Amino acid sequence: MVDGYDQDVLAEIEGLETVRGLNVKIKEGGRIRPTVDLYTSSLRIFMAGDSAAQVERDYLHIQRIKDQVFRLR
């Protein structure tokens, strides 16, 4: 069960140069289930940049920290 969110990690993601939007899809008290498609994802991040290299750099950073977003019971 999701007990809350790490606001510092969310702020770090939102502060990346290519991040244009972030949507946390699992509410407090909700359950995280395996992601099988866009509809079942727990977090949605919209990205755009001047180059593919910028987007790739930020994407890799998000991959390293994404599991820290949710505080679980």
Side-chain angles (χ1 to χ4, degrees):
M1 289 252 198
V2 173
D3 194 37
Y5 315 105
D6 188 319
Q7 295 299 325
D8 292 334
V9 175
L10 289 172
E12 183 176 346
I13 293 171
E14 287 178 315
L16 293 171
E17 183 179 359
T18 63
V19 172
R20 301 295 185 251
L22 182 146
N23 177 253
V24 178
K25 296 172 57 180
I26 307 293
K27 305 299 179 206
E28 288 185 35
R31 291 180 177 247
I32 295 178
R33 302 194 192 297
T35 300
V36 296
D37 55 27
L38 285 176
Y39 296 109
T40 59
S41 63
S42 57
L43 187 66
R44 188 177 307 156
I45 300 170
F46 300 91
M47 303 174 71
D50 293 332
S51 71
Q54 286 177 324
V55 174
E56 178 74 12
R57 178 200 63 219
D58 289 351
Y59 172 79
L60 292 173
H61 184 72
I62 291 166
Q63 288 298 309
R64 286 190 295 274
I65 66 173
K66 67 179 173 54
D67 292 334
Q68 300 170 36
V69 167
F70 297 99
R71 290 194 314 260
L72 305 176
R73 289 185 202 167

